[in-house]
Amino acid sequence: MNKLQQIFLLFACILVLAVAAVQRDGKLLGNRVFSSDKKDVKNKIDTLRTLDDGTVVINTTYLAKNIKGFGGTVPLEIYLKKGKVQQVKALHNSETPEFFHEVSGLLERWNGKTTEQALAMKVDGVTGATYSSNAIIANMKLGLQYASKNVKETSLFDKLDLRAKTIIGFIVVLMAAIIPLLVKDRRYRIFQLLLNFVVLGLWGGTFLSWSVLVGFMSGGINVWISLIPIIMMITAFVYPLFGKKKYYCTYICPLGSVQELAGMVNHNKWKMSKRMAQYLEHFRKILFWVLMFLMLAGVWSQWMDYELFVAFVFNSATWVTLLLAVAFILLSFFVPRPYCRFVCPMGSFLKLPTTKISKWI
């Protein structure tokens, strides 16, 4: 299988996640995709949002909904970075273009000022376009007042999740991503599997699942607090391009790790016929495509909430998921990695970029 085909299939997988995100949440990377429902427009505009570079954007559409210019409301976007106004943009309005052009110079008056300085400024309206200029000034005042109450400037260290379980989890996932490439030792492997299960799974509740990936595609990824799953995704999607197939499933996945550990305890495994193994493998493929159809058709995407990985997040897992997780772990004492081999929809998805299409038909 050549690299070009792998890359093509990888992009196809990304497209599948994008469609699933739109079907489930109506969003893609944090942006609302459909805006045909006018009654729900309010839910599609964020009064405060933060860009990737740390810039905070205040949208005054709702803050100043009662402030009118000559032709209607005059909403603004106020861009704040490091406590200072970077720029002010006028959003769509119904003001007369000629008059509004005269007052557009006002938008630069607050640039470079801190929130406190900008609020203290005395800005006069523009003669001849009084209604429009007064509306801009009033929007700025309300937007800046909102910012002073709701915007907390953060440093890089404030953005990072520096809790002990996150730091230790980051070290563990780095070990799992690097050391097995260099060291082939059974004792170390057992140690790493234990770390994966206890630290990444039980303590951190960090794993790759359909719900996690679709959530990232829907809402976007906050890099500063998602370093562990980002490394997991690199091992799951990038490593196979360099010949390391199933790396995430084999060396990192906490559910796969506990199944392998359970299998190491009992050396007397059930003898499964080749035909039975083939039937179960066919079942996994059929299950995967059925779930894909349900998800992409928008019929029942809730199946993602029942993936066994969710059992690591005890507070939100259903009792059905918890019981199934326990059952598969117990089964692992007698059948090697049963959930991974015969059920896991996430594992089936991760195989797609490195599997010939003919094998999935």
Side-chain angles (χ1 to χ4, degrees):
M1 190 174 188
N2 60 50
K3 286 287 189 295
L4 186 61
Q5 186 176 349
Q6 282 185 270
I7 293 172
F8 172 78
L9 289 174
L10 180 57
F11 276 109
C13 289
I14 294 172
L15 181 61
V16 168
L17 291 173
V19 174
V22 173
Q23 284 283 31
R24 191 187 73 173
D25 304 325
K27 295 193 301 180
L28 190 62
L29 299 178
N31 299 304
R32 183 67 61 174
V33 175
F34 301 115
S35 58
S36 57
D37 186 357
K38 295 182 179 179
K39 294 181 181 180
D40 195 40
V41 169
K42 182 173 180 179
N43 296 327
K44 300 172 184 178
I45 299 177
D46 295 324
T47 298
L48 185 153
R49 70 180 194 275
T50 304
L51 305 182
D52 290 339
D53 66 352
T55 300
V56 175
V57 182
I58 305 296
N59 186 309
T60 67
T61 298
Y62 306 121
L63 297 175
K65 62 183 179 181
N66 297 320
I67 304 297
K68 307 291 184 181
F70 184 78
T73 58
V74 187
L76 305 174
E77 279 191 337
I78 306 168
Y79 289 72
L80 300 164
K81 189 172 184 179
K82 296 182 179 179
K84 293 184 178 182
V85 178
Q86 299 298 303
Q87 63 175 322
V88 180
K89 290 183 180 180
L91 300 176
H92 177 74
N93 59 66
S94 300
E95 300 298 277
T96 304
E98 292 79 7
F99 285 107
F100 197 75
H101 178 71
E102 291 185 33
V103 303
S104 59
L106 279 177
L107 301 176
E108 300 178 1
R109 294 288 300 276
W110 292 273
N111 289 356
K113 302 292 192 297
T114 65
T115 305
E116 292 75 18
Q117 291 170 340
L119 279 170
M121 289 174 60
K122 301 295 182 182
V123 180
D124 297 324
V126 176
T127 303
T130 305
Y131 289 105
S132 296
S133 57
N134 285 346
I136 287 176
I137 294 168
N139 269 262
M140 283 298 299
K141 182 178 180 181
L142 291 172
L144 291 167
Q145 287 175 342
Y146 183 87
S148 67
K149 295 177 181 179
N150 295 279
V151 178
K152 177 180 179 292
E153 282 301 312
T154 59
S155 64
L156 174 61
F157 289 104
D158 293 322
K159 295 177 184 178
L160 291 171
D161 184 353
L162 297 177
R163 292 175 297 171
K165 71 176 180 180
T166 305
I167 295 173
I168 296 173
F170 181 70
I171 294 171
V172 169
V173 79
L174 272 182
M175 291 170 59
I178 297 172
I179 295 179
L181 296 173
L182 308 171
V183 177
K184 304 296 181 183
D185 181 83
R186 178 177 170 79
R187 287 174 298 181
Y188 173 76
R189 176 156 180 76
I190 294 173
F191 175 65
Q192 183 68 61
L193 292 173
L194 282 169
L195 288 178
N196 295 342
F197 172 53
V198 175
V199 177
L200 298 180
L202 294 178
W203 193 21
T206 312
F207 44 80
L208 294 185
S209 67
W210 272 98
S211 183
V212 169
L213 294 184
V214 173
F216 283 153
M217 187 61 72
S218 170
I221 302 176
N222 185 329
V223 175
W224 303 111
I225 62 175
S226 304
L227 292 176
I228 297 175
I230 285 173
I231 293 174
M232 289 180 170
M233 286 189 288
I234 290 172
T235 62
F237 294 105
V238 179
Y239 275 31
L241 297 178
F242 298 92
K244 301 298 179 182
K245 297 181 181 180
K246 303 180 185 178
Y247 191 94
Y248 169 77
C249 297
T250 304
Y251 296 103
I252 299 178
C253 176
L255 184 56
S257 296
V258 67
Q259 289 178 83
E260 185 166 342
L261 288 169
M264 291 178 179
V265 174
N266 179 24
H267 297 288
N268 297 316
K269 300 292 190 298
W270 290 343
K271 292 183 179 180
M272 184 181 298
S273 68
K274 185 176 180 180
R275 178 171 293 184
M276 177 59 71
Q278 289 176 339
Y279 285 150
L280 292 173
E281 177 67 17
H282 288 314
F283 167 77
R284 179 177 65 82
K285 292 178 182 179
I286 294 170
L287 175 65
F288 174 72
W289 290 115
V290 168
L291 294 177
M292 290 303 97
F293 173 79
L294 293 174
M295 178 182 66
L296 296 178
V299 177
W300 186 56
S301 59
Q302 287 81 4
W303 64 262
M304 301 180 199
D305 300 329
Y306 294 91
E307 285 187 277
L308 297 195
F309 307 105
V310 182
F312 287 117
V313 188
F314 305 109
N315 294 334
S316 59
T318 65
W319 64 269
V320 174
T321 306
L322 291 171
L323 287 177
L324 284 174
V326 172
F328 271 99
I329 291 172
L330 292 176
L331 185 60
S332 300
F333 284 94
F334 307 98
V335 179
R337 287 178 170 251
Y339 183 76
C340 301
R341 294 167 61 200
F342 306 127
V343 179
C344 185
M346 187 74 256
S348 297
F349 182 67
L350 295 180
K351 286 182 180 180
L352 288 182
T354 57
T355 303
K356 291 182 179 180
I357 298 175
S358 59
K359 292 186 177 181
W360 286 95
I361 298 175

